[in-house]
Amino acid sequence: MQSCRAGSKQDVDDAVKAAWKAFPAWKKTSITERATILLKIADIIDANKEHLAMIETLDNGKPIRETMNIDIPMGSDHFRYFAGVIRSEEGSASVINENTLSLILNEPIGVVGQIVPWNFPYLMAAWKLAPALATGNCIVFKPSSTTSLSVLELMKLIEKELPAGVLNIVTGSGGKTGQYLLDHPDISKLAFTGSTEVGYSVAKAAADKLIPATLELGGKSANIYFEDCNFDKAIDGACLGILFNQGQVCCAGSRIFVQDTIYDKFVAALKAKFESVKVGLPWEADTQMGSQIDNRQLEKILNYVEIGKAEGAQVITGGAKAKVEGGENGAFMQPTLLADVNNSMRVACEEIFGPVAVVIKFHDEEEVIKQANDSEYGLGGAVWTQDINRALRVARAIETGRMWLNCYNQLPAGAPFGGYKKSGIGRETHKLIMNAYTQKKNIFIDLSEAPSGLY
Amino acid sequence: MASVPKKIWQDSYQLYIDGKCATLRTARPSTCTIRRTANSCAKLPRR
């Protein structure tokens, strides 16, 4: 679609310097002022929703119905949420004893480096930018080299709302520009969303500089269906879990566990539903699944289907490139269901990052908890049942940062999202993330007049 | 159905550092219409 500049080491350095130059004034802006700016940004996003949605759809390949109804509006809501959070933030004060008070004040951490992936280029930007700006930090932000346009377009729309240097965008590849940012000595904190593999590099870069890092990484989430689930809603939820954003979702419900008593009925119904999904040109309003990010990703997904077949999985439906009129060269994938899978197969362990679900049969609660937890990841997951006691028992037993009950892939601001195990460190989309973007200043006050008497 | 031209943008996107970006000025998709699911149409500006 378009070429973006490959940000050089000098570009990253210029951006970091600009951010530090802006920091002393930005950190002193009042909470009221910053909240007002965030609200203004949200209004600008809403006013340009169609424009931003179309850019995102063209750049990423995700359906326009998703960008119009999810990515863009959820992004503006994120800015509004954090505007509200900082207005209600009060720090804390405690009385240690009769003569001693302790105050805890939140202070911005400095210049933060943020790197986001290609699956939700604009929404992940909103997740990162809103809390960092709200807390008075300055930012050097690097979008994915595959999908840099929506955040650059957002920057163009909001540039007058922010002082120069507060938010800097450097485009380029992760391997070069991203690494320059990770290695820069004057970054105060790193925030990254992407693969677990790259997450290790980010964590090591942070460790080398002794700075904090928040990481939102990969997943292989368990979507668990008991025999008493609301069946129609359950089938809908299985689709939402694995077909939303063409399955390119870190918390995708890619391991579908189904109780043996409803297994055959479930697989048949899900097959029919998958085959009814319209895979089409992303900018058409009735398209339900668009294109994978590129043909390389499509090849990776197709290769996993072959791996599954070689392991003994049965392709119930899909398993091949989808034919889309007008998009013959696109990276369109059929919704794919693999059955006769066990939890130790590669297709059940590794993140495929495409519209490929594996179905695993289970007998009882104890067995499914054990299998669901037998994963190196722990990001998302769901339980489908009408037994509230069982729902809560299973949700609590699964080692994951987010468990949905009778729903999937809902990610509104106000509910913390993040991973256990190799799915990451930290929680976003909630005021908890404010801790990651602030230092805690403790002011310890002695009210007594007398010397200590120790010397 | 909205049609998408091969060349979406004429100007290159560039970095945005210290409040300045020399060439990020006229980027707009030249495609025109998004059909919303709610049956209303939203026009995108043409170049």
Side-chain angles (χ1 to χ4, degrees), chain A residues 1-5 7-8 11-12 14-15 18 21 48-51 53-55 58 64-65 68-69 149 152-153 155-157 159 164-165 167-171 281 283-286, chain B residues 1-21 23-45:
Chain A
M1 278 174 63
Q2 188 51 270
S3 298
C4 288
R5 181 155 148 180
S8 65
D11 290 327
V12 172
D14 288 347
K21 188 175 144 198
N48 291 274
K49 184 170 86 166
E50 290 86 356
H51 178 61
M54 183 56 103
I55 288 174
L58 295 174
I64 191 72
R65 70 171 190 159
M68 282 285 285
N69 295 305
L149 300 183
L152 284 168
E153 192 66 13
M155 193 68 229
K156 192 180 78 167
L157 293 168
E159 64 180 320
L167 172 54
N168 306 275
I169 314 291
V170 184
T171 54
L281 298 172
W283 49 89
E284 292 185 350
D286 60 348
Chain B
M1 181 181 102
S3 60
V4 177
K6 288 179 182 173
K7 184 75 174 173
I8 307 298
W9 282 277
Q10 290 189 353
D11 293 326
S12 290
Y13 274 87
Q14 297 294 330
L15 316 178
Y16 193 98
I17 296 172
D18 201 13
K20 294 184 280 292
C21 184
T23 58
L24 184 65
R25 61 179 188 277
T26 58
R28 286 273 169 181
S30 55
T31 187
C32 59
T33 306
I34 303 168
R35 288 193 306 186
R36 297 194 209 183
T37 49
N39 295 325
S40 62
C41 288
K43 293 283 185 186
L44 285 173

Side-chain angles (χ1 to χ4, degrees), chain A residues 384-403:
Chain A
W384 299 77
T385 174
Q386 297 188 64
D387 178 341
I388 186 65
N389 290 345
R390 174 155 65 187
L392 291 173
R393 265 196 317 271
V394 176
R396 292 183 68 191
I398 304 295
E399 297 156 355
T400 183
R402 163 66 63 84
M403 281 299 282

